[in-house]
Amino acid sequence: MVAQEGAQHYVPRERTLTALREASAECRGCDLHRDATQTVFGEGPTRARIVMVGEVPGDREDREGAPFVGPAGRLLDRALVEAGIDRDTVYVTNAVKHFRFTRDARSGRRIHKKPSRSQIVACRPWLLAELDTVRPEVVVALGATAAQSLFGPDFRVSSRRGELIEPESDAESPLALATVHPSAVLRARAGDRDSAYAGLVADLTTVASAL
Ligand code: URA
Ligand code: SF4
């Protein structure tokens, strides 16, 4: 058994999305590749002005091989329209690129599971390579997993959401903003859902105003 040291070893030098995508299909940087169907790499234009980072592909994404094609993706698409962001200017990806799940003992259904800290760290080289290739103006973390991959484990979305964060050292780096994950809006109790959705739209409107 080869030691798993994260994705770094699999990331090619060539900085094109095609090269990265092809190489990511062979990634064995953590054990998630074993039970998932395929690597779900990011999608969108190479010159996207915004990169949006989710958590991990879901059941639909795992089967289709594309990010945000299920219910969370539909909600995100709707919120982007309301925020005045053209979907064609957005590259969408995930902090972790293989589906993580447990199997429901009775139904056999695959239930989404949050990636672990070590899986987030293992997969981070792919996310950094995507950002280095696309070089967006703004990077948006959708939820805590993406925020922790981008800003470190101490970052709290609850206290910093909606804030435009200036790059610290490198002027080449994009502006950043964290907001809630669209799945959190879907999971909110009926009475809270409208305000959770409005909050997401408001944060995305801040992103639009920064372009
Ligand atoms: N949730 C995510 O975080 N990413 C997807 O691609 C789909 C749902
Ligand atoms: Fe590689 Fe990321 Fe998949 Fe783990 S989750 S095998 S690091 S692509």
Side-chain angles (χ1 to χ4, degrees), residues 63-81:
R63 285 184 276 128
E64 294 190 24
F68 284 104
V69 290
R74 277 196 299 280
L75 186 128
L76 178 61
D77 285 348
R78 199 150 55 81
L80 286 170
V81 170

Side-chain angles (χ1 to χ4, degrees), residues 40 53-58 61 66-70 72-73 93-94 112 142 181 183:
V40 178
V53 186
E55 180 184 66
V56 65
E61 289 79 15
F68 284 104
V69 290
T93 191
N94 284 297
H112 155 276
L142 300 168
H181 193 289
S183 296

Side-chain angles (χ1 to χ4, degrees), residues 43 51 54-55 66 68-69 74 76 92 97 105 109 140 156 177-178:
E43 269 191 10
V51 169
E55 180 184 66
F68 284 104
V69 290
R74 277 196 299 280
L76 178 61
V92 277
K97 288 171 172 58
R109 269 186 57 221
V140 180
R156 293 287 167 265
L177 181 142

Side-chain angles (χ1 to χ4, degrees), residues 7 9 14-15 24-25 50 55 73 85 116 118 124 129 133 137 147 152-153 163 169 185 195 197-199 203:
H9 171 70
E14 189 187 341
R15 284 294 188 262
S24 76
I50 305 172
E55 180 184 66
I85 294 175
S116 70
S118 66
R124 195 164 177 266
T133 305
E137 292 165 47
E163 183 187 325
S169 47
V185 177
S195 66
Y197 178 71
D203 292 346

Side-chain angles (χ1 to χ4, degrees), residues 59 63 99 101-112:
D59 180 78
R63 285 184 276 128
F99 182 33
F101 61 93
T102 52
R103 239 178 233 290
D104 182 76
R106 283 205 204 146
S107 65
R109 269 186 57 221
R110 303 190 302 172
I111 315 287
H112 155 276

Side-chain angles (χ1 to χ4, degrees), residues 140-158:
V140 180
L142 300 168
T145 298
Q148 289 177 15
S149 182
L150 290 166
F151 313 125
D154 297 331
F155 187 91
R156 293 287 167 265
V157 174
S158 50

